[in-house]
């Protein structure tokens, strides 16, 4: 029996995924979390925190990347550091190369997009539980090209920014407001505001307009 935990801040998707997993032979959902904080508590990563209510640890954790109050990449990294044998399968809306590489570097054993079919999800859960590495077909080829250095020579603007902060800045420079960025990246408005505040601090600029000028000077702002 493969014991699975589902971490996702979208209740409809999380509950639907849990129901799907429970319908598979040999798979049982033993916990759910709707945020990074809940995930840390569920997975026993909070010092002095309570163990999962079920008393069962998960063999595989299905992890979203954007959790509203934090990053699934960070939770994955902390989980794998605490328990190197942990198996994390990222299931997310994002198919971009940076998201794949960040997840794999953090220790994830698999990467699926949320549009994956039930058969793909079942196959991925079993593969990850068995210790295999699995990427969805839609990202595998691009991810491999990235890992072997296809983008190694590319100049990255504002290297002091995280990949997500740079992505948010690109959209700001393209003229999108916070609400539009929130919808585009499937992030909470609060998370978008936090990213923009971090960008302003790291770029040492006073306001959004100044950040836009800097970003466009570096070639950002082409996102639509």
């Amino acid at each position: 029996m493969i014991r699975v935990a589902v971490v996702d801040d979208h209740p409809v998707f999380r509950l639907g995924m849990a129901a799907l997993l429970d319908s598979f032979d040999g798979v049982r959902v033993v916990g759910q979390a709707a945020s990074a904080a809940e995930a840390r508590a569920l997975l026993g990563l909070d010092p002095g925190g309570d163990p999962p209510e079920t008393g069962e640890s998960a063999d595989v954790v299905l992890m979203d990347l954007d959790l509203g109050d934090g990053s699934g990449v960070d939770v994955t990294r902390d989980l794998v550091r605490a328990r190197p044998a942990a198996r994390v399968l990222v299931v997310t809306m994002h198919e971009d190369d940076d998201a794949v590489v960040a997840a794999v570097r953090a220790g994830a054993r698999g990467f699926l997009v949320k549009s994956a079919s039930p058969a793909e999800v079942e196959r991925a859960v079993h593969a990850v539980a068995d210790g295999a590495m699995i990427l969805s077909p839609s990202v595998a080829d691009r991810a491999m090209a990235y890992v072997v250095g296809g983008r190694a020579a590319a100049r990255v603007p504002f290297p002091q920014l995280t990949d997500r902060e740079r992505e948010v800045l690109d959209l700001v420079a393209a003229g999108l407001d916070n609400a539009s960025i929130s919808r585009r990246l499937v992030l909470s408005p609060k998370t978008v505001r936090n990213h923009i505040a971090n960008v302003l601090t790291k770029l040492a600029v006073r306001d959004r307009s100044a950040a836009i000028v800097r970003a466009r000077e570096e070639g950002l702002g082409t996102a639509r």
Side-chain angles (χ1 to χ4, degrees), residues 41-61:
L42 176 69
L43 301 171
L45 297 178
D46 280 340
D50 295 329
E53 293 181 2
T54 61
E56 296 183 76
S57 61
D59 301 309
V60 176
V61 179

Side-chain angles (χ1 to χ4, degrees), residues 73 76 90 98-111 133-135 143 147:
V73 170
T76 296
V90 168
D98 290 338
V100 177
V101 173
V104 172
R105 285 177 174 170
R109 301 294 303 175
F111 189 102
M133 170 70 75
I134 187 166
L135 299 176
V147 170

Side-chain angles (χ1 to χ4, degrees), residues 38-103:
E38 287 185 15
R40 292 178 186 280
L42 176 69
L43 301 171
L45 297 178
D46 280 340
D50 295 329
E53 293 181 2
T54 61
E56 296 183 76
S57 61
D59 301 309
V60 176
V61 179
L62 269 66
M63 182 77 68
D64 192 12
L65 293 183
D66 295 315
L67 297 174
D69 65 337
S71 166
V73 170
D74 292 337
V75 177
T76 296
R77 183 180 298 110
D78 291 345
L79 174 60
V80 173
R81 284 175 179 171
R83 297 203 297 275
R87 305 285 192 241
V88 177
L89 172 61
V90 168
V91 183
T92 180
M93 294 286 292
H94 303 294
E95 300 183 48
D96 59 278
D97 300 336
D98 290 338
V100 177
V101 173

Side-chain angles (χ1 to χ4, degrees), residues 5-218:
V6 181
V7 179
D8 196 291
D9 64 342
H10 290 82
V12 173
F13 180 84
R14 185 180 67 255
L15 294 172
M17 177 59 74
L20 175 66
L21 292 166
D22 273 331
S23 73
F24 296 152
D25 291 337
V27 176
R28 183 171 74 251
V29 175
V30 297
Q32 299 182 40
S35 66
E38 287 185 15
R40 292 178 186 280
L42 176 69
L43 301 171
L45 297 178
D46 280 340
D50 295 329
E53 293 181 2
T54 61
E56 296 183 76
S57 61
D59 301 309
V60 176
V61 179
L62 269 66
M63 182 77 68
D64 192 12
L65 293 183
D66 295 315
L67 297 174
D69 65 337
S71 166
V73 170
D74 292 337
V75 177
T76 296
R77 183 180 298 110
D78 291 345
L79 174 60
V80 173
R81 284 175 179 171
R83 297 203 297 275
R87 305 285 192 241
V88 177
L89 172 61
V90 168
V91 183
T92 180
M93 294 286 292
H94 303 294
E95 300 183 48
D96 59 278
D97 300 336
D98 290 338
V100 177
V101 173
V104 172
R105 285 177 174 170
R109 301 294 303 175
F111 189 102
L112 286 180
V113 292
K114 288 186 175 180
S115 58
S117 69
E120 288 175 316
V121 173
E122 184 174 21
R123 183 166 59 250
V125 168
H126 281 276
V128 169
D130 288 339
M133 170 70 75
I134 187 166
L135 299 176
S136 64
S138 61
V139 301
D141 291 341
R142 296 197 325 275
M144 182 60 67
Y146 185 105
V147 170
V148 300
R151 291 178 53 184
R155 177 180 175 274
V156 177
F158 306 117
Q160 68 269 42
L161 302 181
T162 66
D163 291 335
R164 177 62 78 200
E165 289 166 352
R166 194 176 301 107
E167 186 175 18
V168 169
L169 177 59
D170 189 28
L171 295 176
V172 168
L176 276 68
D177 59 19
N178 286 11
S180 299
I181 295 172
S182 176
R183 290 191 297 271
R184 174 75 68 88
L185 300 182
V186 198
L187 297 174
S188 70
K190 180 180 179 181
T191 298
V192 172
R193 290 195 299 272
N194 289 341
H195 282 315
I196 291 174
N198 290 339
V199 167
L200 296 182
T201 299
K202 291 181 179 181
L203 298 188
V205 294
R206 291 183 302 176
D207 54 30
R208 191 184 189 102
S209 296
I212 290 174
V213 171
R214 288 284 308 279
R216 289 179 177 173
E217 288 175 347
E218 290 294 324

